[in-house]
C-alpha cells in the first residue's frame, strides 16, 4: 500500500490538526535566559554584537529578572564581570563579588525564578583562561580547588543550580565534594559536559570580557570533529555526580545532542544556543535576509527535537513574545 491510499498531507492541511500531531513542543518554560552582571548601579551597557543584550549592574539585573519571570521564562543563568581581574580569578569566589550579590538580590526580589550560576574562571582572570596558568598552560588540578570554592560561594549566596563551564578534568567531582562538605548535598549540578572549542563564542567574549589574552581554549574545550568523545565526557561527568548535562553550542552540534539523548536516556539534557548563533540570526534578520521571528522559533524547536529538555538562549524573551505570553 502506498500512494494514492497513503497521503501524509491529510494531517498537514489543517492548522488545528497540524498542532495536534506535532511531535516536538516548545514552551517558554523550557528556556533559560543568560544575564551578564557588572559592578556599579544603574548600568545597562549594550553588547554591540548581541542586539537586545546588555551588561547589567545588580539593580538592573533584578529588573530584568522580574521581566523574565513575568514572561514565563523558567530561569536565568548568571555570568559575572568583576571590578578587578587577577591571575587566580579571585572575583569568582568573593562572597561580596558581583555574582554572589546578584544571586542574593534576584532570589530576594524574584523568588519564583530559577537562578543558575555559571562556574568558570575566564571572566575573572586577567589572562582570560578558564583556570590558573602554569608555564603558559592551564593547571588542571590547581584550578579544581578554585572552581570548588566558586561553586560553594554561589551556593551560599542562594543559587538553585551550579553550572561548571570550564572543561577541566574532574571538576564535577571536585565541586560535588565541596558542595556536600559545606551542606549543599541537595544542590544540583548542570555540567557543560560536551563543550566544544567554538568560534561561536565570539560575541559572548565581548559581553563577558573574557577573551583569552594568549593562545586559545583548545587544550580544554573539545575538538569540533569529535562526537564519541562527547559521549565519554558526558559519561564521566555523570559518574562524578552531574545531575544534568549540557551540549554547547547547539546548532552545529544537534547530532551530538541526539546521540547523547539516545545514549543516556533519562538524563536531563540542556543545550546552550550560544552568542554567535544568536548574533548570526539577528544580523541576517536585521538585513531582511531571513524572517527573524520565524527562524527564532524554528531554531529553538530544532534544538528540542534533537533532544534538549531545556535551552539556554538569548532568544528567550523573543520566544516568549512569539509564543504568546
Ligand atoms: C565560560 C563560558 C563561555 C560561554 C559560556 N560560559 C565562553 C567560553 O568558553 O569562551 C559561551 C556562551 C556563549 O557564547 O553564549 N567559559
Amino acid at each position: 500500500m502506498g500512494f494514492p491510499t497513503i497521503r501524509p498531507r491529510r494531517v498537514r492541511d489543517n492548522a488545528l490538526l497540524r498542532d495536534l500531531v506535532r511531535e516536538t513542543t516548545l514552551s517558554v518554560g523550557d528556556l533559560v535566559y543568560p544575564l551578564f552582571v557588572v559592578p556599579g548601579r544603574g548600568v545597562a551597557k549594550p553588547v554591540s554584537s548581541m542586539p537586545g543584550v546588555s551588561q547589567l549592574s545588580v539593580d538592573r539585573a533584578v529588573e530584568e529578572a522580574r521581566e523574565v519571570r513575568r514572561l514565563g521564562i523558567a530561569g536565568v543563568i548568571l555570568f559575572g564581570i568583576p571590578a578587578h581581574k587577577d591571575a587566580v580569578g579571585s572575583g569568582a569566589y568573593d562572597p561580596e563579588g558581583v555574582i554572589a550579590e546578584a544571586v542574593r538580590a534576584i532570589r530576594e526580589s524574584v523568588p519564583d525564578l530559577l537562578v543558575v550560576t555559571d562556574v568558570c574562571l575566564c571572566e575573572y582572570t586577567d589572562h582570560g583562561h578558564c583556570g590558573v596558568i602554569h608555564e603558559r598552560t592551564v593547571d588542571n588540578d590547581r584550578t579544581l580547588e578554585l572552581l570548588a570554592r566558586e561553586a560553594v560561594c554561589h551556593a551560599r549566596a542562594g543559587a538553585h543550580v551550579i553550572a561548571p563551564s570550564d572543561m577541566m578534568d574532574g571538576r564535577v567531582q571536585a565541586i560535588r565534594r565541596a558542595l556536600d562538605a559545606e551542606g549543599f548535598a541537595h544542590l544540583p549540578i548542570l555540567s557543560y559536559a560536551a563543550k566544544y572549542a567554538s568560534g561561536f563564542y565570539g560575541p559572548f567574549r565581548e559581553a563577558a570580557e573574557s577573551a583569552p589574552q594568549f593562545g586559545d581554549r583548545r587544550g580544554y574545550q573539545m575538538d569540533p570533529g569529535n562526537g564519541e568523545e562527547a559521549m565519554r565526557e558526558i559519561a564521566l561527568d555523570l559518574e562524578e555526580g552531574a545531575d544534568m548535562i549540557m551540549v554547547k553550542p547547539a546548532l552545529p552540534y544537534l547530532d551530538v545532542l541526539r546521540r547523547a539523548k539516545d545514549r543516556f536516556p533519562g538524563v536531563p539534557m540542556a543545550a546552550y544556543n550560544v552568542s554567535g548563533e544568536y548574533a548570526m540570526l539577528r544580523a541576517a534578520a536585521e538585513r531582511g535576509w531571513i524572517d527573524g521571528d520565524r527562524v527564532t522559533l524554528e531554531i529553538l524547536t530544532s534544538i528540542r527535537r534533537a533532544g534538549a529538555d531545556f535551552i539556554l538562549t538569548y532568544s528567550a524573551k523573543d520566544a516568549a513574545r512569539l509564543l504568546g505570553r
Side-chain angles (χ1 to χ4, degrees):
M1 211 175 28
F3 180 81
T5 312
I6 308 294
R7 291 178 181 267
R9 284 190 51 203
R10 286 191 196 110
V11 296
R12 239 177 256 155
D13 241 353
N14 177 310
L16 292 169
L17 196 49
R18 238 178 3 245
D19 284 353
L20 279 183
V21 301
R22 181 169 301 130
E23 297 171 36
T24 306
T25 58
L26 174 69
S27 87
V28 279
D30 302 327
L31 308 177
V32 173
Y33 188 61
L35 295 181
F36 297 98
V37 189
V38 292
R41 274 193 71 78
V43 182
K45 188 175 166 226
V47 179
S48 62
S49 51
M50 300 171 72
V53 175
S54 295
Q55 295 180 328
L56 304 169
S57 52
V58 170
D59 55 321
R60 302 296 295 266
V62 168
E63 281 171 33
E64 184 76 329
R66 210 173 273 128
E67 168 70 1
V68 164
R69 186 58 223 160
R70 194 188 61 75
L71 290 167
I73 295 162
V76 288
I77 178 163
L78 304 181
F79 297 95
I81 297 100
H84 305 288
K85 302 188 185 226
D86 60 27
V88 291
S90 313
Y93 33 90
D94 176 359
E96 302 307 321
V98 271
I99 287 301
E101 205 194 316
V103 171
R104 285 191 292 267
I106 293 172
R107 284 294 313 272
E108 189 179 309
S109 307
V110 200
D112 54 350
L113 184 70
L114 193 76
V115 177
V116 183
T117 59
D118 182 89
V119 168
C120 194
L121 295 183
C122 63
E123 300 109 89
Y124 305 92
T125 51
D126 50 14
H127 45 74
H129 278 286
C130 302
V132 282
I133 298 293
H134 183 68
E135 286 168 3
R136 290 183 82 77
T137 174
V138 172
D139 183 336
N140 191 92
D141 299 13
R142 273 189 59 214
T143 300
L144 296 184
E145 232 173 89
L146 302 182
L147 293 169
R149 272 173 75 178
E150 183 179 5
V152 169
C153 171
H154 294 175
R156 288 197 180 123
H160 291 114
V161 177
I162 299 295
S165 70
D166 53 281
M167 287 302 277
M168 295 303 123
D169 293 333
R171 82 277 174 68
V172 173
Q173 181 187 70
I175 289 170
R176 183 73 274 159
R177 283 186 181 163
L179 289 174
D180 291 0
E182 296 296 323
F184 297 104
H186 59 280
L187 212 61
I189 295 176
L190 164 61
S191 152
Y192 287 69
K195 176 174 176 179
Y196 285 87
S198 172
F200 285 92
Y201 307 149
F204 174 95
R205 291 178 188 172
E206 178 198 341
E209 301 172 15
S210 66
Q213 299 304 301
F214 65 90
D216 55 41
R217 303 208 206 290
R218 285 175 231 235
Y220 37 104
Q221 298 178 349
M222 287 183 45
D223 188 313
N226 295 350
E228 270 315 301
E229 187 187 14
M231 301 305 107
R232 181 154 184 253
E233 283 283 4
I234 291 167
L236 288 169
D237 281 8
L238 290 171
E239 270 171 40
E240 291 178 25
D243 302 282
M244 299 170 276
I245 58 109
M246 196 196 301
V247 172
K248 173 186 172 183
L251 286 184
Y253 301 94
L254 291 181
D255 61 315
V256 175
L257 266 173
R258 170 44 55 195
R259 231 194 266 198
K261 196 65 189 172
D262 291 341
R263 199 78 65 86
F264 304 97
V267 173
M269 208 166 69
Y272 201 138
N273 176 216
V274 302
S275 57
E277 300 176 66
Y278 177 74
M280 218 161 51
L281 153 67
R282 293 300 302 258
E286 226 163 70
R287 284 166 177 73
W289 291 350
I290 58 170
D291 176 341
D293 286 352
R294 184 171 173 183
V295 170
T296 294
L297 291 182
E298 187 172 341
I299 287 174
L300 296 175
T301 301
S302 75
I303 297 168
R304 290 265 300 133
R305 192 192 63 239
D309 297 300
F310 63 101
I311 307 169
L312 294 78
T313 178
Y314 305 97
S315 296
K317 286 164 62 186
D318 296 327
R321 172 174 52 80
L322 296 167
L323 292 168
R325 291 282 299 234

